[in-house]
Amino acid sequence: MSLGRNEARPADVPKGMTPTDKRKIRSAAYSLLLAPALALAIAGCGSEATDPGANVSDVPTSSSPTPNEDPKVAEAIADLSERQGVKSEEITVVSNDEVTWRDGSLGCPEPGKMYTMALTDGVRVVLEAAGKQYEYHGGKTGSVTFCEDPQPPVPDKSSGSSDSPQ
């Protein structure tokens, strides 16, 4: 008896298991092996590369909802109030924008950390207290975080900025 190239040999298949069952098990094993590799790839592939020519003024601002309308703004105000020891009434919302970050650091890279190298939609909340501005960055979901050394988001190409093709 001659077996085909892809046919299971009797010694390869446990008693009661069909070749189809064996393929399903092999497929599941590959999935289990590939899942951690994919998670590592998503978690980060390199460090933040900054664009020294980027200008924050190139990024348009949008209308800012009041803190009561946006929980991220309220969260940023509460954090800055505690951080600077000022009343929340003394804090002004300069801007609250939906932006696209250059990578998974959300515009606030930490030295020695690696980030996903993919454009990431998120938010930037800029507050002012006692004449000084403070930035809070975050993703589309989740909370915002105070950013000590903020990096600019990707300029919005639809705004007609100097980065737009002529």
Side-chain angles (χ1 to χ4, degrees), residues 18-72:
T18 67
T20 302
D21 293 336
K22 187 174 181 183
R23 280 191 293 273
K24 287 179 183 177
I25 291 172
R26 185 180 304 130
S27 176
Y30 286 137
S31 297
L32 288 174
L33 291 173
L34 291 176
L38 181 59
L40 286 174
I42 291 171
C45 299
S47 63
E48 159 78 350
T50 60
D51 180 1
N55 186 345
V56 175
S57 64
D58 290 341
V59 181
T61 58
S62 63
S63 60
S64 301
T66 64
N68 294 336
E69 295 173 0
D70 191 337
K72 292 185 182 203

Side-chain angles (χ1 to χ4, degrees), residues 1-155:
M1 174 170 115
S2 173
L3 293 175
R5 182 173 171 185
N6 292 329
E7 291 183 56
R9 303 193 189 292
D12 294 339
V13 180
K15 189 172 188 173
M17 184 179 283
T18 67
T20 302
D21 293 336
K22 187 174 181 183
R23 280 191 293 273
K24 287 179 183 177
I25 291 172
R26 185 180 304 130
S27 176
Y30 286 137
S31 297
L32 288 174
L33 291 173
L34 291 176
L38 181 59
L40 286 174
I42 291 171
C45 299
S47 63
E48 159 78 350
T50 60
D51 180 1
N55 186 345
V56 175
S57 64
D58 290 341
V59 181
T61 58
S62 63
S63 60
S64 301
T66 64
N68 294 336
E69 295 173 0
D70 191 337
K72 292 185 182 203
V73 173
E75 177 185 12
I77 289 172
D79 180 79
L80 185 60
S81 175
E82 184 177 321
R83 184 180 298 275
Q84 295 300 315
V86 298
K87 295 179 182 175
S88 58
E89 296 81 28
E90 298 172 16
I91 298 172
T92 305
V93 178
V94 175
S95 65
N96 175 25
D97 305 314
E98 291 185 3
V99 297
T100 300
W101 298 112
R102 297 174 192 279
D103 60 26
S105 72
L106 305 178
C108 201
E110 294 180 38
K113 284 196 173 181
M114 296 177 71
Y115 299 97
T116 303
M117 298 304 293
L119 296 178
T120 306
D121 290 333
V123 297
R124 176 178 60 179
V125 177
V126 180
L127 304 177
E128 186 172 315
K132 186 174 178 189
Q133 291 191 355
Y134 302 87
E135 286 194 24
Y136 285 78
H137 295 183
K140 279 283 197 187
T141 60
S143 60
V144 292
T145 305
F146 173 70
C147 190
E148 188 117 15
D149 184 23
Q151 304 296 309
V154 174

